[in-house]
């Protein structure tokens, strides 16, 4: 689900970029490039369409981002947060005492000299 929403976000972003690049800041934009075909949509209707498309795509992008935030795959909450902590919990808590030489081994070494 998250992958599907991410792909939709990318598609909406590309469409939004294209719509914004087609517009002209002075109102010419797409309408000025097709001045001979103004009989079909007209200059005013072309800018209205581009503005509505921009706002619709921006709203759709906002909605898809919210949906993506909800559908992010999350791990189950665990008590042990890392593998290091798990290993520490699994090891023995009492350290081994080193083996010191006893008096018997010390006296045997003294007699052999």
């Amino acid at each position: 689900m998250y992958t599907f929403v991410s792909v939709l976000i990318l598609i909406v972003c590309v469409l939004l970029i294209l719509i914004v690049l087609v517009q002209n800041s002075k109102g010419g934009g797409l309408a000025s490039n097709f001045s001979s075909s103004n009989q079909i949509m007209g200059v005013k209707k072309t800018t209205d369409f581009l503005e509505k498309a921009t706002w619709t795509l921006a709203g759709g992008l906002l909605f898809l981002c919210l949906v993506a935030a909800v559908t992010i795959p999350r791990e189950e909450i665990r008590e042990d947060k890392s593998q290091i902590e798990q290993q520490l919990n699994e090891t023995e808590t009492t350290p081994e005492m080193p083996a010191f030489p006893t008096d018997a081994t010390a006296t045997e070494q003294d007699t052999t000299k």
Side-chain angles (χ1 to χ4, degrees), residues 1-3 5-6 9 61-75:
M1 180 71 179
Y2 179 71
T3 306
V5 173
S6 297
I9 288 173
L61 182 62
L62 176 68
F63 175 74
L64 287 174
C65 288
L66 291 174
V67 170
V70 171
T71 60
I72 290 176
R74 304 185 195 288
E75 294 182 21

Side-chain angles (χ1 to χ4, degrees), residues 8-23 49-62 65:
L8 285 179
I9 288 173
L10 289 175
I11 291 171
V12 169
C13 286
V14 169
L15 289 175
L16 187 60
I17 289 170
L18 292 175
I19 292 290
V20 169
L21 287 177
V22 166
Q23 294 177 5
F49 170 75
L50 291 175
E51 184 178 353
K52 287 179 183 179
T54 302
W55 282 106
T56 304
L57 287 172
L61 182 62
L62 176 68
C65 288

Side-chain angles (χ1 to χ4, degrees), residues 27-111:
L30 186 64
S32 66
N33 292 338
F34 301 108
S35 59
S36 62
S37 65
N38 283 341
Q39 299 169 359
I40 299 171
M41 283 180 70
V43 177
K44 181 68 176 157
K45 293 194 183 224
T46 303
T47 56
D48 286 345
F49 170 75
L50 291 175
E51 184 178 353
K52 287 179 183 179
T54 302
W55 282 106
T56 304
L57 287 172
L61 182 62
L62 176 68
F63 175 74
L64 287 174
C65 288
L66 291 174
V67 170
V70 171
T71 60
I72 290 176
R74 304 185 195 288
E75 294 182 21
E76 295 179 12
I77 299 174
R78 305 177 304 175
E79 290 180 18
D80 302 324
K81 295 181 182 177
S82 69
Q83 291 180 356
I84 296 173
E85 288 180 350
Q86 287 178 357
Q87 290 175 359
L88 288 174
N89 290 338
E90 291 173 0
T91 59
E92 295 180 15
T93 56
T94 57
E96 294 182 16
M97 294 296 293
F100 293 110
T102 60
D103 291 336
T105 56
T107 55
E108 289 175 9
Q109 289 176 359
D110 290 336
T111 58

